Amino acid sequence: MKAPAGKAAALRRSEIRVLFDAADRIGGDVIRLEVGEPSFTTPAHVIDAAARAAHDGHTGYGPNGGLASLRELLAGKLRRVNGIEASIDEIVVTPGGMNALYSVYLALLQPGDEVLLPTPGFPNMDETVTLLGGRPVFYPLAAEAGFLPEIEALEARVTERTKILFVNTPANPTGAVYPASLMGDLVDFAARHDLWLLCDEVYDEMVLSDGCVHTAAAPLDPDGRVITVCSFSKVYAMTGWRVGYAVAPVATADLLRKLQEPLVSCPSTISQKAAEAALTGPRAPYEQMLAAYRRRRDVAFDVAASTGVRAVPSDGTLYMMLDVSAAGVDDLDFALELLNSHSVSVAPGSVFGPAGRGWARISLAAEEEAIAEGLRRLAKTLHE
């Protein structure tokens, strides 16, 4: 039998999944802090709406780029939350944010094109770029600078082959929320070098710090070079429903819709009806979730500080970065030791790119006491 394609065979598996599987094998009372899976069930009104949609016959194929009714609602959400004025022709609904990101790279990249990616940054982006024939070029995010991009670092890495600048705010794994002035600088940088600016804003409504505001890049862009990707997964506790969307200039959005046909045909109609209910239903469940994440963030930071673990407080998302370099071992080895010896599972920093080495990411999806106990065990392992 002939061998599989080289690029697919060379694709690396996320080390988060390595920890995930190892924790599953151990079972029992493992404290799970490695995966960014909301601890809340999808709100009841969303589930009920999906059930009604199925009974009403919304069980067939839909348009490649999503239902017009959902895109109309998304246009309103984008205006209200992100400050983005978009027609439904500029909105493409996808089976999750990852599909939107993959489709954008597929639409824009030629073999050998370079993509500027943050580190520590969202895992899988470098593998996606490589799989599609592009070349990942990492720009560092320093903890001392609040894990915010520095224009000088970008200038040092841009070349004639650079095609896309990728940014993520609020950011996974760092929890950084980029201020408006920085977003303006990033748009100016992209314009100066004639780059696409791909903005992952899937945590747009998950801002944890008082006085901190999420700023989208698209309203600052006069040239139509910004593509925004959002999702229902984390904000609305709908990870399994697989609904994301991209906002792009019409010509690019048309191309993304065309790509949906050979890639996935169309997003799930029932899931889209659930997403409509999430947008039109009561806001109280989401406000309660956000309040819980804020409390958990505060607990995590306080326990880390009291046990001598350096933590960088998160302004957004449901993650926090911890400095485990004092262990003197590779961060993956540290994470495996923590799991095997103390039954706590965390994400090793190296999965988030070169600048993630020496760090670990915890998720705020666990209950407060589990987070506190997990951090106490992490501190014990670190100091051992």
Side-chain angles (χ1 to χ4, degrees):
M1 184 177 294
K2 293 183 178 180
K7 288 180 180 178
L11 189 68
R12 293 178 301 166
R13 191 162 186 252
S14 169
E15 290 169 351
I16 296 175
R17 284 292 171 179
V18 173
L19 268 296
F20 185 93
D21 291 348
D24 271 351
R25 285 194 298 272
I26 293 173
D29 297 326
V30 173
I31 297 175
R32 305 295 294 265
L33 304 179
E34 82 278 13
V35 175
E37 173 76 39
S39 56
F40 303 97
T41 303
T42 302
H45 70 275
V46 176
I47 297 172
D48 291 343
R52 284 195 302 272
H55 283 297
D56 290 345
H58 295 284
T59 57
Y61 290 124
N64 295 140
L67 300 173
S69 54
L70 175 56
R71 288 183 286 137
E72 288 280 8
L73 292 172
L74 286 172
K77 177 268 177 183
L78 288 163
R79 184 181 308 111
R80 182 180 68 255
V81 174
N82 309 81
I84 298 174
E85 293 290 339
S87 70
I88 66 170
D89 291 335
E90 296 172 295
I91 301 170
V92 182
V93 182
T94 61
M98 272 305 305
N99 174 253
L101 291 167
Y102 184 91
S103 294
V104 170
Y105 284 124
L106 181 59
L108 300 183
L109 287 180
Q110 296 286 345
D113 284 346
E114 296 175 352
V115 179
L116 296 173
L117 298 174
T119 179
F122 175 49
N124 299 328
M125 281 300 88
D126 54 330
E127 294 298 321
T128 299
V129 170
T130 301
L131 188 63
L132 293 173
R135 178 174 175 263
V137 176
F138 289 106
Y139 59 91
L141 306 176
E144 295 73 20
F147 289 120
L148 298 176
E150 296 181 327
I151 300 300
E152 295 79 6
L154 293 171
E155 292 284 2
R157 288 161 175 79
V158 69
T159 72
E160 292 182 354
R161 297 306 306 269
T162 308
K163 187 72 168 288
I164 302 171
L165 167 62
F166 173 83
V167 301
N168 171 214
T169 177
N172 174 13
T174 66
V177 178
Y178 296 3
S181 59
L182 175 59
M183 294 304 285
D185 290 342
L186 292 169
V187 171
D188 291 343
F189 171 83
R192 191 161 58 250
H193 295 283
D194 192 23
L195 307 178
W196 287 96
L197 178 53
L198 176 54
C199 293
D200 178 345
E201 300 180 21
V202 301
Y203 298 94
D204 54 0
E205 297 184 72
M206 295 184 71
V207 176
L208 304 179
S209 297
D210 292 337
C212 196
V213 178
H214 167 63
T215 300
L220 308 175
D221 167 37
D223 302 329
R225 67 179 64 254
V226 171
I227 299 175
T228 306
V229 170
C230 297
S231 171
F232 283 80
S233 289
K234 305 302 172 65
V235 172
Y236 299 97
M238 293 178 64
T239 52
W241 298 84
R242 310 312 302 136
V243 185
Y245 53 101
V247 188
V250 172
T252 305
D254 286 342
L255 181 54
L256 296 178
R257 274 186 284 272
K258 184 169 69 172
L259 287 172
Q260 291 292 86
E261 179 67 31
L263 288 176
V264 294
S265 181
C266 63
S268 162
T269 304
I270 296 173
S271 292
Q272 290 180 81
K273 286 299 180 182
E276 290 178 6
L279 292 173
T280 58
R283 295 292 304 173
Y286 311 115
E287 293 168 358
Q288 292 164 6
M289 292 180 204
L290 190 58
Y293 291 134
R294 287 171 173 161
R295 291 193 301 271
R296 295 170 186 179
R297 186 273 310 266
D298 293 343
V299 166
F301 188 72
D302 290 345
V303 173
S306 68
T307 55
V309 178
R310 180 192 179 200
V312 180
S314 300
D315 287 326
T317 73
L318 46 80
Y319 309 110
M320 181 176 289
M321 293 291 280
L322 306 173
D323 184 351
V324 297
S325 59
V329 298
D330 180 80
D331 52 80
L332 176 58
D333 292 336
F334 174 82
L336 291 170
E337 174 64 20
L338 176 63
L339 175 61
N340 292 323
S341 298
H342 296 287
S343 297
V344 179
S345 184
V346 299
S350 53
V351 74
F352 305 107
R357 296 193 179 281
W359 294 83
R361 187 200 73 178
I362 63 166
S363 168
L364 305 176
E367 297 298 330
E368 292 175 32
E369 182 49 43
I371 293 172
E373 177 59 24
L375 284 175
R376 287 190 285 267
R377 296 183 194 179
L378 182 145
K380 181 179 180 181
T381 306
L382 183 64
H383 298 319
E384 286 171 349

